[in-house]
Amino acid sequence: MVLYKPATFIDCPHYDDRPCASGECSDNVDLLVIHNISLPPSQFGTSGIRDLFTGKLNPDAHPFYKTIAGLRVSAHCVIYRTGKIEQFVPFDKRAWHAGLSCFQGRSSCNDFSIGIELEGTDTLPYTDVQYDALTLLSEFIINRYPRISLGRIVGHNDIAPGRKTDPGVAFDWARYRTSLRRVLKQGKP
Ligand SMILES: [Zn+2]
């Protein structure tokens, strides 16, 4: 069970085994997908994301919840506006975050990717502590799964174009890549 120690682990039923094509299934991870989510939409600090991922979203708690309650979805980690991280699915397991998706000709990206959700919207700037937390989490993931090169970190919009827009124009890819490059370099002797 591959976990990120600084995160709080939350038991989640929405995952399964990665497919085992070559016998190295769980190490066959070579893509990192960045998402955003907020529940209700544009509201932060609620239990909505956790409730959705754990299958406990109350459809009567908000009109929007009626449209998504019952969805069986998850991501490996959620980074909240406060920088706090919750992990819902061990990285060696398959989380259900990408949906219909394709990266460089390979479909079903859930099979070989890790999904990180930022609590946010497409247009509202993410917080400084979210970038900090995302950078350190990404460093951990890349060290554990070195086939995830910088070019294999994408947005949900990149693997599901026309269907998904997250993490949106608000996500500062240049800032993220610069700080990630910096910590990766520091980690080397
Ligand atoms: Zn997404």
Side-chain angles (χ1 to χ4, degrees):
M1 189 148 104
V2 184
L3 297 175
Y4 182 55
K5 285 245 171 65
T8 303
F9 184 67
I10 310 274
D11 210 21
C12 161
H14 300 160
Y15 73 91
D16 56 9
D17 287 331
R18 294 185 186 275
C20 234
S22 57
E24 48 166 358
C25 25
S26 66
D27 278 328
N28 207 17
V29 174
D30 59 9
L31 186 69
L32 179 57
V33 183
I34 310 292
H35 301 258
N36 75 37
I37 185 170
S38 54
L39 290 174
S42 304
Q43 290 187 38
F44 305 137
T46 75
S47 65
I49 303 168
R50 193 178 311 119
D51 293 344
L52 178 67
F53 287 179
T54 54
K56 292 175 184 156
L57 194 69
N58 174 4
D60 299 322
H62 187 276
F64 181 72
Y65 289 0
K66 282 192 180 40
T67 67
I68 56 164
L71 279 183
R72 304 192 72 211
V73 292
S74 61
H76 290 90
C77 292
V78 176
I79 303 177
Y80 293 93
R81 309 293 290 182
T82 57
K84 181 180 159 53
I85 305 178
E86 288 178 346
Q87 181 161 8
F88 290 86
V89 178
F91 298 118
D92 49 314
K93 298 294 183 184
R94 177 169 63 178
W96 302 342
H97 58 96
L100 268 183
S101 53
C102 185
F103 180 73
Q104 294 183 350
R106 266 167 97 193
S107 58
S108 304
C109 295
N110 284 341
D111 293 357
F112 53 91
S113 70
I114 287 171
I116 299 176
E117 299 274 2
L118 299 170
E119 186 184 28
T121 72
D122 285 5
T123 51
L124 192 74
Y126 296 94
T127 66
D128 291 342
V129 284
Q130 279 183 304
Y131 282 103
D132 294 344
L134 176 63
T135 299
L136 293 179
L137 173 58
S138 304
E139 179 195 24
F140 170 85
I141 290 170
I142 289 169
N143 284 331
R144 179 63 182 74
Y145 299 100
R147 290 165 66 189
I148 302 177
S149 57
L150 285 182
R152 302 185 68 89
I153 303 177
V154 298
H156 198 185
N157 62 302
D158 294 312
I159 58 167
R163 193 174 71 81
K164 292 291 178 181
T165 57
D166 60 315
V169 293
F171 187 68
D172 188 341
W173 281 99
R175 172 181 178 169
Y176 168 50
R177 287 183 193 287
T178 301
S179 56
L180 182 53
R181 253 187 229 111
R182 192 177 303 131
V183 298
L184 289 172
K185 204 186 272 174
Q186 278 167 359
K188 295 208 174 95

